[in-house]
């Protein structure tokens, strides 16, 4: 029961993080940071995770050699880094949130694909 509830909570936070990132990416107004990186977490990718992503994308690891970090919503980062989404959200409030990926996911692979496509 707790595992189901915790999974549901992570899903809700992931969706909220995505909505937050989308909602804040184009804020108009003076002064503030209008970059599209608001609400996103910088995830560092190690060799093992890059191999998983290369397999998912059907590319060679050498094609991903320049990809060492990618920005993803809080919920995705929490999943692939094994970190509580609330911890990452608090880090984001205090400045930049970062974590090291310990696994891959479809969403992480898509973010990498988007980055290599430019």
């Amino acid at each position: 029961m707790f595992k189901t509830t915790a999974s549901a909570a992570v899903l809700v936070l992931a969706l909220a993080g995505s909505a937050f990132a989308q909602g804040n990416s184009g804020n108009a107004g003076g002064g503030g940071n209008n970059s599209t990186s608001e609400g996103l977490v910088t995830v560092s990718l190690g060799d093992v995770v890059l191999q998983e992503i290369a397999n998912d994308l059907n590319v060679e690891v050498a094609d991903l050699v320049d990809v060492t970090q990618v920005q993803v919503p809080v919920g995705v980062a929490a999943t692939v880094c094994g970190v509580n989404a609330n911890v990452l959200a608090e880090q984001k409030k205090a400045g930049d949130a970062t974590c090291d990926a310990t696994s891959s996911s479809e969403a992480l692979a898509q973010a990498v694909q988007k980055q290599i496509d430019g």
Side-chain angles (χ1 to χ4, degrees):
M1 174 83 175
F2 176 73
K3 192 172 188 178
T4 302
T5 304
S7 296
V10 169
L11 177 61
V12 168
L13 289 171
L15 295 173
S18 294
F20 177 79
Q22 290 172 357
N24 285 312
S25 64
N27 285 343
N33 179 359
N34 291 334
S35 81
T36 58
S37 66
E38 280 190 44
L40 300 177
V41 175
T42 301
V43 175
S44 297
L45 308 171
D47 293 339
V48 173
V49 173
L50 280 174
Q51 180 64 57
E52 290 178 36
I53 292 170
N55 292 342
D56 291 344
L57 297 176
N58 294 318
V59 299
E60 297 293 323
V61 175
D63 296 334
L64 305 177
V65 71
D66 292 330
V67 181
T68 58
Q69 296 180 329
V70 65
Q71 290 190 323
V72 296
V74 171
V76 174
T79 299
V80 300
C81 294
V83 176
N84 186 296
N86 291 330
V87 171
L88 292 173
E90 286 300 317
Q91 284 181 6
K92 189 62 186 167
K93 284 181 188 176
D96 290 334
T98 61
C99 65
D100 297 327
T102 57
S103 66
S104 184
S105 73
E106 184 177 331
L108 184 62
Q110 289 174 357
V112 169
Q113 180 69 56
K114 190 174 185 179
Q115 184 170 323
I116 61 175
D117 287 345

